[in-house]
Amino acid sequence: MMRDRQLFFGLLLILTFVSLHKLCYCDDQTVSCESFDEPFGGSWIVSKNGDYEDEEGNKRITKTTLVEALKDEREDVIQAWYMDDNQEDQRLPHHKDPKEFLSLDKLAELGVLSWRLDADHYETDEELKKIRESGGYSYMDFCEVCPEKLQNYEEKVKSFFEEHLHTDEEIRYCVAGSGYFDVRDRNEAWIRVWVKKGGMIVFPAGIYHRFTVDSDNYIKAMRLFAGGPVWTPYNRPHDHLPARKEYVDNFVNKAFNASA
């Protein structure tokens, strides 16, 4: 009796293992993963040739569908990458060779938050309303950076590109055009953040950063602030400021300590 019971449980373990293996199996030809776009009892087989089908060879989906399902929709309006060391025109993309992109989730680890919003209906956008309420962003205005709207345009663009920090958050919501916001990572490397129409980004107080228009020379941005606006930039170095010390403690030292 005991032997029969042991044999039963042994067979049960083998069947369980085979079932799990079937759902999670991968080799050089295929990768099996759970269905992601509709209820389905089996699993998708992702073939090397770009075809997608279930285990019986039907219910095919396209490669484009899979890519779109996995894509971060914010990246349609916000992209981030590591910059090269070339000192030519600041308005150029300055990609490394090869290009080295950074996910927006990784950017958030530096304290930089981002959203994709409906820039065509910002007056009635409920998502924007929620963000403003949760952040206490009671102040709002607009800033257009372009040769036609900004006096001493070239001088202003150069001044914006000076590395600096603020003692409060910097919130920018691009409602037209596009521009580059550069930030330092924990190892002092520059990350370029390209914000286009519909992209909203929040830089924490104390982070060193800079701004420039891109080669289109136009951006219109909503500026938000908790309370009255304080636009004072503190050009680097201002490491002694409490806001800088707090930023380093929260986003630099904690990360280094966690990886140690």
Side-chain angles (χ1 to χ4, degrees):
M1 185 73 175
M2 179 65 69
R3 185 173 180 178
D4 291 341
R5 188 172 296 176
Q6 290 175 339
L7 180 61
F8 171 76
F9 283 112
L11 289 172
L12 183 61
L13 285 172
I14 291 172
L15 290 172
T16 302
F17 173 78
V18 169
S19 177
L20 290 173
H21 184 69
K22 185 178 180 182
L23 289 175
C24 303
Y25 174 78
C26 62
D27 60 17
D28 289 340
Q29 283 74 44
T30 60
V31 178
S32 179
C33 58
E34 292 183 355
S35 172
F36 59 84
D37 64 342
E38 59 180 300
F40 175 55
S43 60
W44 295 106
I45 301 298
V46 184
S47 304
K48 270 191 171 182
N49 62 7
D51 293 330
Y52 298 82
E53 58 190 33
D54 67 17
E55 292 167 343
E56 281 69 43
N58 50 25
K59 295 177 75 72
R60 295 168 66 88
I61 60 173
T62 65
K63 186 174 183 179
T64 301
T65 303
L66 178 63
V67 171
E68 289 178 350
L70 299 176
K71 184 179 179 182
D72 185 339
E73 67 173 12
R74 294 174 298 172
E75 292 180 354
D76 289 334
V77 294
I78 304 172
Q79 295 178 2
W81 59 80
Y82 278 98
M83 298 181 67
D84 63 20
D85 296 324
N86 195 308
Q87 300 300 312
E88 62 180 331
D89 190 350
Q90 67 191 48
R91 287 168 255 214
L92 297 177
H94 286 281
H95 279 290
K96 284 189 170 186
D97 186 16
K99 295 178 180 179
E100 188 176 348
F101 287 94
L102 190 75
S103 74
L104 299 182
D105 288 336
K106 285 293 183 182
L107 197 63
E109 292 178 7
L110 299 173
V112 181
L113 306 180
S114 57
W115 293 264
R116 176 183 176 176
L117 301 174
D118 184 1
D120 290 325
H121 303 94
Y122 60 81
E123 300 96 334
T124 57
D125 188 356
E126 288 298 320
E127 184 67 17
L128 176 60
K129 182 180 179 181
K130 291 177 184 177
I131 294 169
R132 292 190 63 178
E133 288 176 351
S134 63
Y137 303 137
S138 56
Y139 175 88
M140 183 270 285
D141 71 5
F142 290 92
C143 178
E144 281 188 279
V145 181
C146 61
E148 297 77 19
K149 298 291 182 71
L150 192 63
Q151 290 186 346
N152 302 317
Y153 176 73
E154 292 296 335
E155 291 181 16
K156 287 287 188 182
V157 169
K158 288 180 181 178
S159 69
F160 296 154
F161 201 58
E162 291 289 332
E163 185 177 2
H164 63 278
L165 62 79
H166 299 288
T167 55
D168 293 275
E169 289 180 320
E170 178 173 311
I171 304 100
R172 296 291 182 271
Y173 174 19
C174 180
V175 297
S178 54
Y180 295 128
F181 296 85
D182 302 337
V183 297
R184 296 277 194 183
D185 74 359
R186 297 183 181 102
N187 297 310
E188 292 291 297
W190 278 115
I191 298 169
R192 173 144 283 188
V193 185
W194 192 20
V195 181
K196 295 177 279 186
K197 179 182 177 181
M200 181 176 181
I201 197 159
V202 177
F203 300 96
I207 190 173
Y208 281 120
H209 62 286
R210 62 191 183 189
F211 166 79
T212 182
V213 289
D214 57 25
S215 55
D216 288 339
N217 283 296
Y218 179 75
I219 186 172
K220 181 179 180 180
M222 177 187 294
R223 302 186 295 186
L224 299 172
F225 205 91
V230 180
W231 308 118
T232 306
Y234 295 91
N235 289 350
R236 192 166 190 172
H238 269 85
D239 294 350
H240 64 282
L241 291 177
R244 177 59 185 174
K245 292 179 179 179
E246 184 175 347
Y247 175 79
V248 171
D249 287 342
N250 290 335
F251 296 102
V252 180
N253 291 341
K254 280 186 179 179
F256 282 130
N257 292 336
S259 62

